[in-house]
Amino acid sequence: MLRKALRTALAAGGLLVARQPTQAQQASAAIHLNQVGFYPAAPKLAVVVGAAAGQFQLLAAGSEKSIFTGALGAARYDSLTRQTVRQADFSACQQVGTFVLRVPGVGTSYPFQIKPRVHEAVAQAALKGFYYQRASTALPPAYAGAWSRPAGHPDTQVLVHPSAATAQRPAGTVLVSPRGWYDAGDYNKYVVNSGITLGTLLSLYENFPSYCTRLSADIPESTNALPDVLDESLWNLRWLLTMQDPADGGVYHKLTNAGFDGMVMPAACHTPRYVVQKSTAAALDFAAVLAQASRVLRPFGHALPGLADSCLRASTQAWTWARQHPASYYRQEALNKQFQPAISTGAYGDEDVRDEWAWAATELYVTTQNERYWLADILAPGPLPVANWGQVRPLAYYTLLRASATLGPAGRRALPQVRQQVLALAARLQAGRATHAYSTAMGRIADYTWGSNAEAANQGVALLQAYRLSGERLYLTAALTNLDYLLGRNATGYCFLTGGSSRSPQHPHHRPSEADGVPAPVPGLLVGGPNPGRQDNCTYPSALPPLTYTDAVCSYASNEIAINWNAPLVYLVAAIEALH
Ligand code: 9MR
């Protein structure tokens, strides 16, 4: 069993830590820490379940040599997991190397490293995760290693679904809509979810351009003039452009099979694909992301002639369509009563599009510097939420902050409120560390939803905006606690990134990982994480929210992967690397 875990971790690119079989054999699931590692000068914390008071030690991996000793903290009852935990704080240890933490009577932790740039491999792997999600192309061994695969889903014969029929494009019209990323464990391509995913990656580039220029994902385009994060984004952006109907500017909600494909490789899928109904949410997310892309790509005009202009034109046309169709919601059940074939794939139905208006308006406003795109309700009173696919207002706020020096009059007037709301959100998140047993910003019961790991990552992104805004180091530290959470300091003890460590998911709900015959899952993918909803009816080890995670392929509710979850992880880890 352990042998297999070791082999698998090594097959996964030996991603992060040199495994130490002697100690790994004793690795205790009771010691929860970031299994990748720590920056020398940063806080370092492990959480130990069920330990008596006493000492802990740091040992150089593979030896019995103790290099640091500390006392476990006071016992603390965690009402969410009904466990008693103690913290092992070894922040004072700044020695570089590979270590394990030993707690007498409990055991020895998974190995981890202390060193500068300790998360660089995670940033590369998580960005590379998008490459593995590419549709309509073969992944050759030179780039995909053991996970190389033939092309699937060419999407050169996509049918207009009756729900999307127009006079110019009646039902059954054949469209060409290749490329894009598979959304998740399934093979469909959804505009709404692509929007926030691309917006997050483009924002990473806009906030940290020089770090992004250095960040390589070893993809076929790595040697060209563009940073890899932009090359990878272009794979999806070029698909997105095909989702607009040139006749009216409207944007199809998704490109999908009628039902989900089986657990087979892309090349084995041949069922018809459709574009379905145009929706307001899709048009606005499309408008937002293409306005942002236009701004980001303009300096690369020599390599991408005309693309920035095409993006802006597409964006304004989608905006105009949304103005004319402000309530064209995607309602799958209603649609299925009216049209054949019935569609049963991901809905991404969003009937509150006020935040999508805010985001589209903001991106158009900042890109064009035209006051006519300003909308009074770009700002919303009350607490700013953490971003997710159905709540994109934070992306508008972050763009306003980033562009603060060049905003026109309306934008400038809005800035004090934007600053105040972003700081209030970050203050709330960072304060959570004091009350959560694992001392991460992540940890309120409400944080555990479908895709809770993206909640953790997006909280981290919010905290980083506050850090950029205020220079207050505690926000950077708080963001790092959520990276620690994702990489192992959580109640399940899993490092939630495939291939990330010796205790990473082995059985994600991800068709290629299940069907490719390779023992290790496709690396660099963030699973959804604890989800008390347990909508998949799989067997879970616990019903307590922080523990409702199962590393089982059936578990689409806790163990699927998704592009909108990987993107904030890429942002969080790359930004943290850039800032350390
Ligand atoms: O992430 C989505 C989550 O917020 C929803 O509650 C859930 C049910 O509608 O769908 C999730 O998204 C899935 C999408 O519908 C289809 N592809 C896989 C996505 C991740 O599970």
Side-chain angles (χ1 to χ4, degrees):
M1 171 68 198
L2 232 126
R3 268 250 171 77
K4 182 171 182 222
L6 274 168
R7 233 188 11 247
T8 317
L10 288 170
L15 192 52
L16 307 167
V17 177
R19 315 289 163 215
Q20 299 298 330
T22 342
Q23 285 161 342
Q25 271 160 20
Q26 305 154 9
S28 166
I31 304 174
H32 301 199
L33 46 61
N34 178 335
Q35 293 159 29
V36 174
F38 305 87
Y39 298 106
K44 305 173 194 71
L45 209 65
V47 175
V48 188
V49 179
Q55 303 284 108
F56 69 88
Q57 296 168 326
L58 234 61
L59 308 179
S63 91
E64 290 298 312
K65 190 170 150 233
S66 169
I67 59 125
F68 183 87
T69 304
L72 292 174
R76 184 167 172 178
Y77 181 68
D78 177 14
S79 59
L80 291 189
T81 59
R82 301 191 192 150
Q83 288 170 338
T84 299
V85 300
R86 289 177 191 271
Q87 298 192 344
D89 187 338
F90 50 104
S91 306
C93 176
Q94 302 209 354
Q95 192 169 320
V96 169
T98 302
F99 306 103
V100 293
L101 191 139
R102 175 167 296 168
V103 182
V106 174
T108 303
S109 76
Y110 295 90
F112 59 87
Q113 292 183 297
I114 299 179
K115 65 172 189 182
R117 296 161 67 160
V118 68
H119 295 114
E120 186 175 43
V122 176
Q124 291 167 335
L127 178 56
K128 180 75 173 265
F130 285 91
Y131 171 75
Y132 288 113
Q133 290 296 99
R134 288 187 186 187
S136 321
T137 188
L139 306 185
Y143 299 103
W147 301 276
S148 105
R149 58 167 169 82
H153 302 94
D155 289 339
T156 46
Q157 297 202 318
V158 177
L159 304 173
V160 173
H161 188 259
S163 62
T166 57
Q168 292 99 327
R169 288 182 169 183
T173 303
V174 176
L175 304 182
V176 179
S177 189
R179 302 196 186 93
W181 297 310
Y182 297 129
D183 183 60
D186 64 309
Y187 291 140
N188 302 301
K189 307 191 289 198
Y190 307 88
V191 168
V192 164
N193 208 39
S194 276
I196 182 166
T197 303
L198 278 172
T200 303
L201 292 177
L202 295 177
S203 297
L204 170 67
Y205 176 76
E206 286 197 284
N207 283 344
F208 300 97
S210 51
Y211 182 79
C212 286
T213 303
R214 295 201 303 276
L215 178 63
S216 167
D218 189 21
I219 55 177
E221 302 81 4
S222 286
T223 51
N224 75 9
L226 263 72
D228 283 3
V229 67
L230 297 186
D231 275 317
E232 195 48 60
S233 296
L234 277 173
W235 190 264
N236 202 53
L237 205 72
R238 291 194 189 278
W239 162 68
L240 203 53
L241 282 164
T242 70
M243 289 297 280
Q244 182 169 50
D245 182 350
D248 64 3
V251 179
Y252 303 109
H253 192 71
K254 57 178 172 174
L255 188 162
T256 182
N257 298 358
F260 289 114
D261 284 306
M263 294 305 266
V264 297
M265 293 301 283
C269 298
H270 304 291
T271 50
R273 309 261 280 175
Y274 301 90
V275 292
V276 300
Q277 188 206 308
K278 293 167 190 163
S279 75
T280 311
L284 290 171
D285 286 338
F286 177 103
V289 102
L290 286 167
Q292 183 178 20
S294 163
R295 182 169 81 229
V296 169
L297 297 176
R298 186 149 315 269
F300 298 96
H302 50 284
L304 303 165
L307 188 57
D309 290 332
S310 303
C311 289
L312 188 55
R313 203 174 317 114
S315 169
T316 55
Q317 284 167 356
W319 168 267
T320 304
W321 184 92
R323 285 285 210 195
Q324 293 154 358
H325 304 83
S328 181
Y329 303 123
Y330 185 72
R331 292 178 173 145
Q332 197 153 275
E333 273 179 36
L335 179 142
N336 285 340
K337 292 195 181 116
Q338 229 184 315
F339 304 106
Q340 289 291 322
I343 305 289
S344 60
T345 54
Y348 291 115
D350 187 351
E351 302 198 10
D352 180 350
V353 292
R354 287 174 295 179
D355 51 304
E356 283 77 10
W357 279 112
W359 186 32
T362 300
E363 298 301 345
L364 277 162
Y365 178 81
V366 168
T367 296
T368 62
Q369 312 223 312
N370 185 336
E371 294 287 311
R372 104 186 153 87
Y373 287 112
W374 187 262
L375 297 180
D377 43 14
I378 284 177
L379 299 180
L384 181 68
V386 172
N388 65 51
W389 65 261
Q391 180 46 264
V392 291
R393 193 181 307 271
L395 277 73
Y397 278 38
Y398 303 161
T399 288
L400 289 171
L401 291 179
R402 193 186 309 122
S404 59
T406 56
L407 291 176
R412 274 203 304 277
R413 276 194 299 277
L415 271 180
Q417 185 180 336
V418 170
R419 289 198 180 105
Q420 183 272 324
Q421 284 181 281
V422 170
L423 289 174
L425 169 61
R428 193 270 283 171
L429 292 171
Q430 102 78 26
R433 288 196 292 155
T435 53
H436 302 147
Y438 284 74
S439 295
T440 54
M442 176 72 180
R444 290 200 306 182
I445 198 159
D447 292 346
Y448 297 100
T449 53
W450 192 322
S452 61
N453 283 341
E455 167 72 21
N458 276 312
Q459 288 180 358
V461 173
L463 286 159
L464 290 170
Q465 307 314 306
Y467 173 63
R468 285 168 53 85
L469 183 57
S470 67
E472 295 272 9
R473 192 110 189 143
L474 87 175
Y475 293 131
L476 177 57
T477 306
L480 187 54
T481 69
N482 274 13
L483 185 57
D484 288 338
Y485 173 96
L486 292 170
L487 301 179
R489 199 170 94 217
N490 61 69
T492 73
Y494 274 92
C495 166
F496 287 121
L497 184 71
T498 58
S501 85
S502 42
R503 196 168 187 233
S504 285
Q506 297 298 310
H507 310 288
H509 181 89
H510 180 240
R511 281 163 176 73
S513 293
E514 179 66 3
D516 63 6
V518 180
V522 172
L525 301 172
L526 183 68
V527 298
N531 171 14
R534 294 172 290 158
Q535 292 85 344
D536 47 41
N537 295 317
C538 296
T539 306
Y540 283 74
S542 169
L544 299 169
L547 293 166
T548 47
Y549 168 73
T550 179
D551 181 18
V553 69
C554 69
S555 185
Y556 57 81
S558 83
N559 206 31
E560 188 162 356
I561 64 95
I563 56 172
N564 63 314
W565 305 340
N566 248 62
L569 172 64
V570 172
Y571 190 111
L572 178 64
V573 66
I576 283 176
E577 275 289 305
L579 293 166
H580 279 83

